[in-house]
Amino acid sequence: MDDTFWDEADRLLIRYGTGFTPRVIERAAGAHVFDRQGRPILDFTSGQMSSILGHAHPDIVATVSSAVATLNHLYSGMLSTPVLELAGRLAATLPATLGKTLLLTTGAEANEAAIKMAKLSTGRYEIVSFDRSWHGMTQGAASATFSAGRRGYGPPTPGNLALPAPNAYRSPFRSSDGSHDWEAELAYGFALVDQQSAGSLAACLIEPVLSSGGIIDLPPGYLRRLKDMCDERGMLLILDEAQTGLGRTGTMYAFERDGVTPDILTLSKTLGSGLPVAAVVTTAEIEQLCHERGFLFYTTHVSDPLAASVALTVLDVIDRDDLVVRAARLGAQLSERLLALRDTYEVVGDVRGRGLLQGVELVRDKRSKAPADALGSAVTSACLERGLHMNIVQLPGMGGIFRIAPPLTIGEDDLHAGVDILEASLKAVLDTAPR
C-alpha cells in the first residue's frame, strides 16, 4: 500500500526540497506522530519547528472547532474582537515600545511586511542579514536568505548584504587563548557591509538563534553590540523569532536574554503551534511613519479571526502551564545529555543552543572538524527505524547538524527516551561503519 502511495506522490506532486521521510503519516498526538501501520514516531522537530504545544492539543482543537463554526475569515477590511485582543496580549508580553501588531499567516509573509516597513519608514532599501540566514521563500525574504536557494532564479532583490554568522565552533576569528573573538568578527563584518553599501542601509534582519543555519546561538553581548552598530548607522533592527519566540529558548522571547529591544519583531511558527499564524510587532513611531507614507500590505488573510483565536489560545496555555519555565528546565536536562554525548563520541563535534532548541554537530573527528554527511544521513535513518524523527541540516563547510526542537509539552521520559534513541542509533552506525 505504501509503495502505491509513493508512486502516486511521484506522479502527482511537485518536489519542493529534500526527499520526504519514508513513512506515510496518518495522525499525530502530543509529542508523537503515527504512520499507517500505527507505529509511533517521537517528534523531535515539533512538526516544522512549530507545534510547541504538541500535536492535537485539546485547547487548540477546541478553539479551531469553535472558530470554524462561528468566525474564521473575513473581508480584509473588517475587524473582529479576537484580533484586537491578540494585539493587546502580545503587547503585554513585550517591552512597552513594541505595541503595534499586524496579524498575518506565515513567517515569510511577516518578514516581507517587516522589510517593507523598514524600507518605507527609513526611506532606504538595503537589508543586512547573516550569511547562514533563512527568513522565507517569498521574494524579499528569500533575498535576505543566504543559507540556501539563491541560485537559478534570477537576481535577488537589490540591496541585500551578508554579515558573517558568529559560529563559535568554526569561526576563523580567534583570541590569543583560542576563544571565539566575536567582537572582531562583527566589526569586520560591518566594515565589509559599509564598504559594499550604496549609502542606503535600512535594516538588519536576523534570528537570535539561527536554526536552519545550523543552530548558531549569538554569543552573550553580540546582540547588544549589533543594535548599537545599527543605531550608529540609522538602521532598524528586525528580529525574526519564528522559532525562538514564545518560550522555546527558556525565555518568552530570545532577545530578553540580552536586554535588547528590536525595532520590529516578527513571530510565526510557534505563535500558531502548527497552524498558519504570524505577526509583525513594531513601535508606534514606525507604524505612524509607514501609515503616513502609504504602507500597503492588504492580503487575503490579514487580520483573520481564526488565526487570532489560535494565537490567543497558545498564549493562554503557555501562561497557564508555565511552559517558559518548563522549557528552561527541560532544556537544562537536554543540554546535560547532549554534552555527555559530545564528551563520549569523537564524531560529536559540538553541542549548542538554548532551552528546547538545540543542535548537535556531527564531524569525522574533533581535530579536523571535517563534515560527516554520510554519517549524519545514516544516523537520521537509524533514528527513524527506532521510532525517532530527527532533522539534520547539511550546509557547505559545516558538519551535519541535528536540530532538536521537541514540543514544550514533551514529557521528561519522552525527552530522555529520544536522546537514548539518538545515542543508540549513533553507536549502531559507528559499530557497522567500515574501519
Side-chain angles (χ1 to χ4, degrees):
M1 183 167 58
D2 283 0
D3 288 344
T4 300
F5 177 93
W6 293 117
D7 288 343
E8 286 295 277
D10 286 341
R11 186 174 71 86
L12 295 170
L13 301 181
I14 293 174
R15 289 164 287 185
Y16 50 83
T18 56
F20 295 105
T21 300
R23 296 282 185 90
V24 182
I25 305 303
E26 288 288 307
R27 66 183 182 89
H32 290 83
V33 298
F34 299 83
D35 67 13
R36 270 183 169 177
Q37 289 71 40
R39 293 173 294 190
I41 303 168
L42 186 57
D43 183 8
F44 256 31
T45 61
S46 302
Q48 188 66 29
M49 314 292 168
S50 304
S51 299
I52 56 170
L53 304 186
H55 299 284
H57 191 282
D59 291 67
I60 298 293
V61 171
T63 294
V64 171
S65 300
S66 173
V68 166
T70 55
L71 186 62
N72 71 314
H73 170 71
L74 294 170
Y75 173 67
S76 297
M78 291 179 173
L79 270 182
S80 61
T81 298
V83 174
L84 194 58
E85 287 182 353
L86 176 62
R89 286 288 300 281
L90 282 175
T93 68
L94 288 162
T97 53
L98 294 174
K100 289 279 194 170
T101 293
L102 175 66
L103 179 62
L104 299 166
T105 53
T106 69
E109 189 180 36
N111 286 330
E112 291 285 346
I115 289 168
K116 291 187 75 171
M117 293 181 78
K119 290 179 176 180
L120 192 61
S121 63
T122 62
R124 304 175 184 179
Y125 71 90
E126 291 174 327
I127 304 296
V128 177
S129 52
F130 284 133
D131 62 359
R132 298 288 182 181
S133 58
W134 185 297
H135 295 295
M137 289 287 93
T138 51
Q139 182 65 17
S143 297
T145 293
F146 287 96
S147 64
R150 295 187 70 82
R151 291 174 173 78
Y153 307 101
T157 302
N160 281 273
L161 307 174
L163 191 66
N167 184 352
Y169 184 59
R170 292 185 175 275
S171 174
F173 288 84
R174 297 289 163 184
S175 301
S176 58
D177 63 358
S179 61
H180 178 211
D181 189 352
W182 62 262
E183 292 168 292
E185 185 172 32
L186 180 55
Y188 176 82
F190 254 103
L192 286 178
V193 165
D194 291 339
Q195 189 69 24
Q196 296 173 78
S197 172
S200 192
L201 292 170
C204 188
L205 167 61
I206 64 162
E207 299 169 90
V209 181
L210 287 79
S211 178
S212 296
I215 311 295
I216 298 173
D217 190 4
L218 303 187
Y222 186 100
L223 193 59
R224 167 61 61 191
R225 181 65 188 125
L226 177 65
K227 181 67 166 70
D228 291 343
M229 296 178 88
C230 287
D231 290 345
E232 290 164 7
R233 292 160 176 79
M235 301 170 66
L236 301 184
L237 176 62
I238 306 171
L239 291 186
D240 177 355
E241 292 229 22
Q243 296 191 35
T244 56
L246 305 193
R248 180 167 295 286
T249 65
T251 54
M252 188 63 174
Y253 302 99
F255 68 77
E256 292 177 12
R257 184 198 71 176
D258 299 271
V260 174
T261 301
D263 299 292
I264 304 176
L265 173 69
T266 64
L267 303 169
S268 52
K269 293 177 181 289
T270 59
L271 186 61
S273 190
L275 289 163
V277 183
V280 180
V281 189
T282 191
T283 67
E285 293 76 13
I286 291 172
E287 192 277 338
Q288 182 63 31
L289 268 175
C290 288
H291 177 67
E292 291 170 356
R293 295 173 183 179
F295 178 65
L296 180 67
F297 212 84
Y298 208 90
T299 73
T300 301
H301 292 285
V302 67
S303 293
D304 258 3
L306 173 60
S309 296
V310 168
L312 281 166
T313 300
V314 171
L315 292 172
D316 284 342
V317 174
I318 288 172
D319 183 54
R320 182 193 70 202
D321 296 345
D322 212 10
L323 293 184
V324 179
V325 172
R326 192 171 195 276
R329 178 171 58 81
L330 293 184
Q333 295 180 29
L334 179 60
S335 293
E336 184 178 359
R337 293 292 312 276
L338 298 180
L339 289 170
L341 294 183
R342 186 195 64 184
D343 294 342
T344 303
Y345 296 93
E346 177 67 14
V347 296
V348 179
D350 195 33
V351 170
R352 50 190 183 252
R354 282 188 248 168
L356 290 179
L357 178 62
Q358 300 201 34
V360 177
E361 181 163 353
L362 298 183
V363 294
R364 292 182 185 175
D365 60 80
K366 286 183 169 69
R367 182 190 60 79
S368 71
K369 301 182 183 179
D373 293 358
L375 174 64
S377 297
V379 173
T380 302
S381 297
C383 284
L384 186 62
E385 291 172 6
R386 290 166 172 79
L388 174 69
H389 177 250
M390 295 286 288
N391 170 258
I392 192 162
V393 177
Q394 305 278 8
L395 294 170
M398 296 172 70
I401 301 101
F402 283 115
R403 293 193 292 170
I404 301 176
L408 308 193
T409 54
I410 190 171
E412 287 190 30
D413 289 346
D414 281 338
L415 180 70
H416 288 279
V419 180
D420 290 342
I421 292 173
L422 173 59
E423 181 171 15
S425 300
L426 178 62
K427 189 173 187 303
V429 171
L430 291 174
D431 287 346
T432 58
R435 300 294 178 180

